[in-house]
Amino acid sequence: MKSFTFSQRQLNIVIALCERFFRSENPKDASPSQLNIAAKIDVWLAELSPNLQSLIKMDLWAINWFPILFVRRFRNFLQLTPQEQDCYLCKLEECRFLTLRTMFLALKTIFYLNFWDEEIPLREVGHDFASLLENRGRV
Amino acid sequence: MRLEGSQLQDAYLEDRCDVLVLGSGTAGAIAAMEAARAGKKVILLEEGKYFAPEVKRNFKIAESVRSLYRNQGGMVAFPWGDTPPVVITLGCGAGGSSALTGGVCFRIPDKVHRHWAKELGLTELALDKLLPFYHKVEELFSIRETPQELRSKGVFKFEQGAQRLGITCKPVKRNMTDCRGCSRCNFICPHGAKQSVDIVCLPKAEECGAKLYFEFRATRLIAKNGKVQAVAGEILDSQKKRKGKFTIHADTFVLAMGTVHTAHFLLKNRACNNSGLVGKGLTLHPAIRIYGLFDEVLNSHQGALQSVYVDDFMDDGITLIAIHVPPNIISVTLPGIGPGHREFVRLSKQMAAFGAFYHDQPSGRVWRGLGREPFVTYRLSSQAKAGLVKACQVIGQIYFAAGARQILLPIWSKTVISSPDELKSLTPETVKGKWFEISSYHPLGTARMGLDRHHSVVNQFGQTWDYPNLWISDGATLPTSIGVNSQEPIMALALRNTLHMLEVGNNRQ
Ligand SMILES: Cc1cc2nc3c(=O)[nH]c(=O)nc-3n(C[C@H](O)[C@H](O)[C@H](O)COP(=O)(O)OP(=O)(O)OC[C@H]3O[C@@H](n4cnc5c(N)ncnc54)[C@H](O)[C@@H]3O)c2cc1C
Ligand code: SF4
C-alpha cells in the first residue's frame, strides 16, 4: 500500500495498531485489513496541516518505542507479540502519565472516528446503519 | 460574490471596502449581514473553507470533523496545576462554530446581567438594554422550544430518574425549523433544519452585495495615525499552506475570529493591549459527558441532540444539559480497545447521555505562541473540580434512580460505576482534577468590555479603546463567563454592536 502521509515504517505501525484496535472475537466479523481502514486513516490524515501531521507522526514514534517503559521488553511495538501489543495498549489507556495517556487517546480517537464511520462494523455490532445513513430521526 | 483562496490564480490580492469583517462565525456573519443591509461595501474574510450547504449536509461524520473543525477538533488548552488538557472545539469554515452547535439558545441569566450592570458598572449590558436584541435574534434565527416529541428515549429515562429525585427538567430552546431529531447537529444538520449563521446570514449578506473571501487568513493589522488602515494576511491552498498574500483597506474593521483567535491576532500585532488584558481572563465552561447504561434498547440518537436542561444547580455553578450524538461518534468516546471496545459500542444502543458544564471564573490565557496557532493554557480551579464531581454525582444518581445498570464517567480509573454506593465514594478529595476528560465549547472573555482603557480592551459596544475604527464583536468581549451556552448572547451583542457601529459611522459622516 502506498501512503499519502506516512513513511513505510509509520504505515506499518498504523496497520499494526488497526489490527489491535479493531480486533473482534467473532471470526465472522470483517478484519481491519479487509475493511482497508489503515488506508482510510491515511487519506483522512493527508488533508491535515503539516504541523498536525508531524504531531501524529511523533505520537506514532512514541507509541512504537514506549513498550520499553511499560512491558519491560527491549523491543518496539512492531516487535511485540499480538498479546503483548494488546496488553501494552491497555496500559497506555490506563496510564498514570497524563501526557502519554493524552497522546494515546488522541490517536485512538482518530482511528475510531474513521472506523466507526464505516457501515460494516456498525452493522456487526447491531446498529441500524441505513437509518443512520439517511439520518432518520425521531419524527 | 464569493472567492475561495484555493481556487485563485493570483498570488497577490488587494481590495478596498467600507467595512472589513474578520471571521464568518456567529458574530462575523451577523456584522457582515447588517453592514451590507445598511448599504456598506462589505468584505468578510474567513480562514476556513467554503462548502455549499447541499454538499456539507452529505458529509460523513469523519469528513465533517476533518473539514469544519479547527485542527480537526484537536485544539488543546495546556493544563496548569491539577488540570487535564482541555479540548477546545471550534469551527473553522463558513459559519464558524455556529455551523456546529447543538442549536441550544439561552439568554444570559438575569443574575449575570445584574452582576455586569450593578457590580461592574456596565449599564449598557443590563437586561432591559439587551432585550430588544434578544427578541430580534430569536425571530431571525427561529429560536423556539424543542417540542416534546423530539426528546429521545434516553432523555425520557433521565426525566424519570430526575422526577423521582425531585429535580426538574426544562425544555431547551433551539434555532430550528422542522427539526427531525437525528442528533447530528454537531456535524452539520443534514436536513437544513438548524438555522445557523451560514444558512441565515451569509446568503443575505451576499445578496446585499457583501464579498465573502474564504481560505483567507488575516495575520497583520496595519495602523497609522491612530487608525487602522488595512489588514493583511495569507491566501491559503486546500492544505492550509500559504499560496499568496492579500491586503484589504477599509474604513471600519470588525474582529470576529472567536475568543481564542481574536486575542491571538491582537497579541501578534501588539495591538489594543494598554490594559495588558488581551488574552487574559479566558473562561472555558469546562464540560463533561456521562452515560447511563440500561437493560433495554434506547437508541437515544433518535431525538434532538439536545432537548432538555436542568438549572436546579446553577447556584453551584453547574448547568446540566441533554446531549446524545450518533453511535459513530459516541463509540469514539468509549473505553477499551479490541473486543472490549466493540462490546461497549454494541451496548451504546442501551445508553443515555447527559452533559454538564461549570460556570467558571477566569483561569485561562491565550498566548502568542510560536507558530500560526495560539498557545492556550487553563487551570481548573478547586471550585470547578468540585462542581464537576458534583455534576457526576447528580447525573449518576438520576440514572441509577431511573434504573441504570451502570454509569460511565469521564474520570480516569473511575470510568465504570456499578452502584450508587460506589458513586458516593467520589468526592473532590478522592478525585484529582487531572483525571477528568474535559472539553470546552464556549470559550469567552479574552478581550473584555469595560468602562476604561486601563481595565478592559473594548468599550461596552465593542469599540476598541486604541483605534476608533476597530471593533470586536465575538465571544472575546464578554466580561465574565455566563453559565449558559453562548451563541444567543453573542448573536444579540453582535447585532447591537454592529447597529451601534453603523450609527457612530453615520454620525461621523
Ligand atoms: C461543537 C460546538 C457545539 C456548540 N454548541 C452550542 C450550542 O448548542 N449552543 C450555544 O449557544 N453555543 C454552542 N457552541 C458555542 C458557539 O458556537 C460559540 O460560542 C459561538 O459560535 C462563538 O461565536 P464567535 O463569533 O465568537 O466565533 P466563531 O463562531 O468560532 O467564529 C470565528 C470564525 O473566525 C474564523 N477565523 C479565526 N481566525 C481567523 C483569521 N486569522 N482569519 C480569518 N478568519 C479567522 C474562524 O475560522 C471562525 O470561522 C458550540 C460550539 C461548538 C464548537
Ligand atoms: S437534530 Fe437532526 S434535524 Fe434536528 S437540527 Fe439537529 S441535525 Fe438537524
Side-chain angles (χ1 to χ4, degrees), chain B residues 33 48 50 77 97-98 101 113 115-116 119 149 175 183 214 247 311 321 328 347 398 433 447 476 484 497:
Chain B
M33 178 183 75
Y50 175 83
S97 307
S98 165
T101 68
H113 271 303
H115 171 64
W116 289 356
E119 284 158 48
E149 64 267 23
N175 49 333
S183 76
F214 293 93
T247 306
D311 62 5
I321 189 153
N328 350 28
L347 288 172
I398 291 175
V484 293
N497 292 356

Side-chain angles (χ1 to χ4, degrees), chain B residues 8 23 25 59-60 78 210 236 291 305 324 363 421 441 448 496:
Chain B
L8 275 181
F59 277 175
K60 286 173 97 178
F78 285 84
L236 306 175
Y291 299 107
L305 179 94
H324 202 106
S363 61
D421 283 342
Y441 305 89
R448 73 179 83 137
R496 183 202 66 149

Side-chain angles (χ1 to χ4, degrees), chain B residues 190-507:
Chain B
H191 305 295
K194 188 170 74 182
Q195 300 299 294
S196 44
V197 295
D198 50 324
I199 305 291
V200 176
C201 306
L202 294 182
K204 282 197 187 121
E206 222 178 327
E207 260 168 44
C208 298
K211 296 185 195 170
L212 315 184
Y213 293 177
F214 293 93
E215 298 167 301
F216 276 63
R217 180 194 285 129
T219 55
R220 213 151 55 85
L221 195 71
I222 302 165
K224 212 168 137 189
N225 305 332
K227 272 184 81 179
V228 177
Q229 308 288 336
V231 162
E234 301 169 344
I235 304 174
L236 306 175
D237 68 10
S238 58
Q239 256 210 324
K240 287 201 143 198
K241 285 195 215 133
R242 186 174 90 180
K243 65 176 267 192
K245 289 182 181 178
F246 69 84
T247 306
I248 297 175
H249 305 265
D251 299 329
T252 307
F253 298 79
V254 180
L255 304 189
M257 295 177 277
T259 300
V260 175
H261 289 83
T262 287
H264 183 232
F265 181 80
L266 291 176
L267 288 170
K268 281 250 167 192
N269 284 286
R270 298 178 198 280
C272 305
N273 203 9
N274 274 328
S275 62
L277 285 173
V278 173
K280 292 184 186 163
L282 173 72
T283 59
L284 288 182
H285 278 174
I288 53 172
R289 184 183 317 186
I290 293 148
Y291 299 107
L293 174 63
F294 291 84
D295 288 327
E296 64 268 40
V297 169
L298 301 172
N299 279 331
S300 302
H301 60 280
Q302 290 171 351
L305 179 94
Q306 303 192 270
S307 54
V308 300
Y309 74 105
V310 173
D311 62 5
D312 293 12
F313 305 95
M314 270 199 171
D315 285 342
D316 297 322
I318 305 165
T319 307
L320 308 182
I321 189 153
I323 173 120
H324 202 106
V325 285
N328 350 28
I329 198 85
I330 286 217
S331 54
V332 172
T333 63
L334 295 174
I337 61 160
H341 180 81
R342 266 180 190 255
E343 180 56 12
F344 271 120
V345 180
R346 195 182 62 74
L347 288 172
S348 68
K349 295 190 285 291
Q350 293 160 233
M351 287 180 190
F354 224 82
F357 59 83
Y358 186 77
H359 183 170
D360 55 339
Q361 296 297 316
S363 61
R365 183 161 175 187
V366 175
W367 306 75
R368 276 179 63 174
L370 292 175
R372 280 172 167 175
E373 283 293 326
F375 183 70
V376 184
T377 51
Y378 186 74
R379 191 177 62 77
L380 189 73
S381 66
S382 52
Q383 296 92 317
K385 179 181 87 170
L388 294 181
V389 172
K390 178 158 185 183
C392 289
Q393 292 274 4
V394 172
I395 296 177
Q397 280 162 8
I398 291 175
Y399 277 141
F400 279 129
R405 196 203 300 173
Q406 283 177 330
I407 57 165
L408 269 64
L409 298 179
I411 304 179
W412 173 74
S413 80
K414 317 258 182 231
T415 315
V416 181
I417 302 284
S418 304
S419 72
D421 283 342
E422 205 180 333
L423 187 64
K424 272 189 208 138
S425 71
L426 300 181
T427 63
E429 290 73 41
T430 58
V431 175
K432 288 199 174 161
K434 62 181 166 198
W435 291 355
F436 276 99
E437 268 170 42
I438 296 181
S439 45
S440 162
Y441 305 89
H442 316 140
L444 299 170
T446 53
R448 73 179 83 137
M449 291 189 241
L451 297 174
D452 65 73
R453 60 169 60 235
H454 305 295
H455 300 98
S456 58
V457 180
V458 294
N459 70 15
Q460 295 188 62
F461 290 95
Q463 187 175 27
T464 58
W465 295 112
D466 287 23
Y467 301 111
N469 66 337
L470 178 66
W471 300 70
I472 304 180
S473 218
D474 55 28
T477 59
L478 270 68
T480 66
S481 74
I482 51 182
V484 293
N485 304 47
S486 48
Q487 71 167 340
E488 187 177 342
I490 294 175
M491 285 169 172
L493 286 168
L495 180 64
R496 183 202 66 149
N497 292 356
T498 311
L499 295 178
H500 183 80
M501 177 186 86
L502 294 168
E503 203 180 298
V504 169
N506 289 343
N507 290 345

Side-chain angles (χ1 to χ4, degrees), chain B residues 174 176 179-185 189-191 193-194 303-305:
Chain B
R174 291 157 79 231
M176 306 288 147
C179 169
R180 302 210 207 151
C182 67
S183 76
R184 264 210 42 158
C185 320
C189 173
H191 305 295
K194 188 170 74 182
L305 179 94

Side-chain angles (χ1 to χ4, degrees), chain A residues 2-120:
Chain A
K2 194 181 163 317
S3 168
F4 296 100
T5 324
F6 300 119
S7 66
Q8 190 54 48
R9 185 166 182 78
Q10 287 160 345
L11 191 63
N12 290 344
I13 304 172
V14 170
I15 293 171
L17 279 172
C18 285
E19 288 297 328
R20 304 330 300 157
F21 278 156
F22 311 134
R23 188 170 66 86
S24 163
E25 272 168 353
N26 184 347
K28 284 191 194 144
D29 288 348
S31 68
S33 56
Q34 281 167 332
L35 294 171
N36 219 1
I37 290 294
K40 280 174 190 147
I41 292 171
D42 180 48
V43 170
W44 191 85
L45 291 174
E47 273 198 28
L48 263 57
S49 69
N51 280 356
L52 276 175
Q53 286 187 5
S54 318
L55 276 178
I56 287 157
K57 287 174 188 171
M58 234 169 64
D59 223 0
L60 287 174
W61 180 89
I63 286 191
N64 192 34
W65 284 106
F66 282 173
I68 293 169
L69 299 180
F70 286 88
V71 282
R72 303 219 172 83
R73 301 258 188 288
F74 278 103
R75 279 181 282 156
N76 62 36
F77 180 69
L78 290 174
Q79 293 164 335
L80 298 177
T81 64
Q83 289 75 11
E84 285 170 338
Q85 286 179 337
D86 281 347
C87 166
Y88 165 60
L89 294 176
C90 288
K91 281 188 178 166
L92 273 181
E93 186 167 29
E94 291 294 311
C95 162
R96 238 170 211 288
F97 297 117
L98 188 60
T99 320
L100 267 185
R101 196 166 74 236
T102 309
M103 279 169 76
F104 173 76
L105 290 177
L107 210 62
K108 183 183 158 189
T109 303
I110 293 172
F111 277 56
Y112 278 117
L113 180 67
N114 282 279
F115 181 70
W116 292 114
D117 228 9
E118 291 298 311
E119 171 174 358
I120 294 171

